[in-house]
Amino acid sequence: MSDPLFHRSKSFLAVIDVQKLFVDKLAPEARAPLVDRIRWLIGTARRLGIPVLAMAEDIARNGPPLPEIVAALGADVPVHDKRIFGLAGQADILAGARAFQRPQAVLVGLETDVCVAQSALGLLAAGFRVAVLVDATGSPGDCHGAGLDRMRDAGITVTTVKGIFYEWVRDLDTLATVRADLGPLPDGMTL
């Protein structure tokens, strides 16, 4: 691999199952910070021209993404009704990923050891380079770490919101241009 970094011109952001049902499984103190980091990263991706692929599992039964996520996505980003745990196993969602014509997928959402891991592994098998963000994914208890370990062992890049932000921004001129438009950082996050 000649360049191990993720580029804003080659990446898309996949937002997976940020729904009340799944968020409520997390420890109460973890919920708002996780959702806020995902919301902020969606806004950052959109400001940088990085396309967003959004989905929610069984919307009729489990509900749509949280309102703050829907607001960050905007009206022009459809939310796919995901019926298969791994997004690459569902033809319309995989077609949406391929339509971006970008070889790098950055994954956020829930749950780390199930839908995020199966999506990451499926995208990897479909030929994408994949990154998963440790602080923008979640599962209850030890399941979060187990999911991250499985993905790392499979060759998926495990990084942070801050790490991917700087890979996407890449230089001081771009940072100066977008910094004012980013809005307040999520609580506890520094750049």
Side-chain angles (χ1 to χ4, degrees):
M1 178 183 320
S2 59
D3 184 356
L5 299 177
F6 281 72
H7 293 260
R8 67 180 176 269
S9 64
K10 295 180 181 179
S11 295
F12 70 89
L13 177 65
V15 180
I16 302 168
D17 303 347
V18 189
Q19 296 160 273
K20 184 177 183 346
L21 173 76
F22 300 117
V23 172
D24 283 354
K25 291 181 183 182
L26 303 176
E29 66 277 4
R31 296 171 188 168
L34 174 67
V35 171
D36 201 32
R37 284 188 296 273
I38 294 170
R39 177 206 51 79
W40 184 86
L41 192 63
I42 293 167
T44 298
R46 293 183 52 87
R47 285 176 190 88
L48 292 170
I50 298 166
V52 179
L53 182 69
M55 65 215 69
E57 181 180 299
D58 194 359
I59 295 171
R61 184 177 183 153
N62 298 333
L66 294 174
E68 54 267 58
I69 299 301
V70 172
L73 292 169
D76 61 323
V77 176
V79 176
H80 295 271
D81 189 13
K82 187 167 67 62
R83 309 292 302 173
I84 296 177
F85 298 129
L87 72 87
Q90 187 167 322
D92 64 320
I93 301 176
L94 182 58
R98 287 189 167 136
F100 296 138
Q101 297 183 7
R102 291 172 176 236
Q104 300 175 346
V106 176
L107 277 56
V108 299
L110 294 110
E111 293 184 359
T112 312
D113 58 324
V114 182
C115 293
V116 174
Q118 289 187 34
S119 293
L121 295 167
L123 287 168
L124 186 67
F128 291 89
R129 268 192 72 216
V130 182
V132 64
L133 306 186
V134 64
D135 54 346
T137 53
S139 274
D142 294 338
C143 295
H144 180 63
L148 293 171
D149 289 346
R150 179 169 187 208
M151 289 183 279
R152 185 182 292 112
D153 290 348
I156 292 162
T157 299
V158 176
T159 187
T160 62
V161 171
K162 177 182 175 184
I164 206 70
F165 170 79
Y166 280 108
E167 288 185 42
W168 284 347
V169 169
R170 197 59 64 97
D171 60 68
L172 292 173
D173 291 339
T174 304
L175 178 62
T177 301
V178 301
R179 181 68 188 225
D181 295 333
L182 295 178
L185 293 175
D187 284 345
M189 191 174 138
T190 60
L191 289 181

